[in-house]
Amino acid sequence: MRYGHELTTRTFAVIGPEVQDRKMRLAGNNLACTSCHQNDATKPYAMPWVGVAATFPQYRAREDAISSVEERVNGCMERSMNGRPLPLDSREMKAFASYIHYVSRGLPIGAKLEGAGAKPIKAPNRRADLAAGEAVYAKNCVACHGIDGQGQRRGKVGDAEGYAFPPLWGKDTFNNGAGMNRMLTAAAFIRHNMPQGTTHQTPVLSDDEAFDVAGYVLSKPRPIKAGLDNDFPARWNKPVDAAFPPYVDGASADQHRYGPYPPLQDLAKQRADALKTARETAAAR
């Protein structure tokens, strides 16, 4: 569990791309898990790991299959950390699983948890305004993440000491297959956790500001993950803000990238309701 805590909080120093032991260079960037999963992965609505052990195995639409905690960890390794999957029997995987179980202790299997995931925003019924997002970024984000979005290093390139404040775009951040590369996820996270010190109880930005600044950040270049066309094989389960093809709803790539999302959400709900009705009708025969 202690090693799992170290992996979570100092990922860059243990399995990052700058560690001396090349066999341990499993992460592809110098982020820490806690770059997103704040407060040692326990902060409400900062995608905490509290309770995760009580909700897995669970169905995951991205794979259209039942996934384990270990498979979920490797999803982050390959996407948020832009790296390689951990061997399931490795010390590192066992440590991650142990820490996730530790922060979930005392919670019953299948428990519904307050503070899980990211607290949704009410998405405005419009395309993200990238110019407005740039202004929000300049006012609220530059001090930590820099005008160039490259964050602030603790030391220098090559020292495996990571960042005091992580980069938001460029080669040393999450790739385009990560959950944080989705507009609604990023906007929800930003709204309830940024600027630094914000909580879901004391948000600084409005829904519109979070939406626009998410659009601005996600408009910037980042690593590309191969094979994203294999994600969400049950195509209608694909989130409306998953901004990579194929698309099955007739909307443009730009709309999936930047919105407006309410029309796509309404269409997805209509599709889900129709499928539910069809199943209930078939079962009644």
Side-chain angles (χ1 to χ4, degrees), residues 44-57:
Y45 296 117
M47 297 174 288
W49 295 354
V50 177
V52 167
T55 61
F56 275 83

Side-chain angles (χ1 to χ4, degrees), residues 55-283:
T55 61
F56 275 83
Q58 65 174 232
Y59 173 78
R60 298 273 299 165
R62 190 163 66 197
E63 294 81 24
D64 192 32
I66 302 298
S67 293
S68 65
V69 165
E70 290 80 4
E71 288 168 324
R72 184 68 187 90
V73 168
N74 272 341
C76 276
M77 282 297 300
E78 294 184 77
R79 296 164 187 268
S80 298
M81 305 306 296
N82 192 37
R84 295 183 284 140
L86 302 173
L88 296 182
D89 61 351
S90 65
R91 181 185 178 222
E92 288 68 36
M93 180 60 82
K94 292 174 182 177
F96 270 125
S98 295
Y99 184 65
I100 289 168
H101 279 273
Y102 175 76
V103 297
S104 301
R105 66 197 184 281
L107 295 170
I109 299 298
K112 184 174 177 60
L113 303 169
E114 182 69 25
K119 189 178 178 67
I121 68 163
K122 182 176 175 56
N125 193 9
R126 60 174 175 80
R127 187 184 190 275
D129 184 334
L130 304 191
E134 183 176 13
V136 173
Y137 184 88
K139 180 179 179 182
N140 297 278
C141 315
V142 163
C144 294
H145 298 290
I147 191 68
D148 59 357
Q150 299 310 292
Q152 296 182 32
R153 281 251 179 189
R154 287 192 177 86
K156 61 182 185 300
V157 174
D159 65 7
E161 282 302 314
Y163 293 88
F165 300 102
L168 301 181
W169 62 81
K171 65 180 182 180
D172 210 21
T173 190
F174 58 88
N175 66 40
N176 70 325
M180 198 62 81
N181 193 54
R182 289 170 42 198
M183 272 283 294
L184 296 178
T185 299
F189 178 85
I190 291 167
R191 163 86 159 117
H192 300 108
N193 295 285
M194 292 288 132
Q196 187 77 4
T198 298
T199 72
H200 71 282
Q201 296 169 319
T202 59
V204 173
L205 303 180
S206 67
D207 284 355
D208 281 69
E209 288 172 324
F211 185 73
D212 289 335
V213 77
Y216 173 70
V217 168
L218 296 184
S219 72
K220 300 297 186 177
R222 64 189 60 259
I224 302 298
K225 187 180 189 306
L228 291 182
D229 55 323
N230 295 319
D231 283 7
F232 303 100
R235 299 302 186 194
W236 280 97
N237 284 339
K238 189 174 182 179
V240 297
D241 58 341
F244 49 84
Y247 308 112
V248 296
D249 54 13
S252 67
D254 187 83
Q255 185 172 0
H256 284 284
R257 170 80 283 176
Y258 298 115
Y261 294 114
L264 301 183
Q265 292 169 322
D266 290 344
L267 182 61
K269 184 178 185 304
Q270 291 169 18
R271 171 72 176 179
D273 289 346
L275 288 172
K276 181 180 178 182
T277 299
R279 290 192 191 102
E280 291 172 349
T281 300

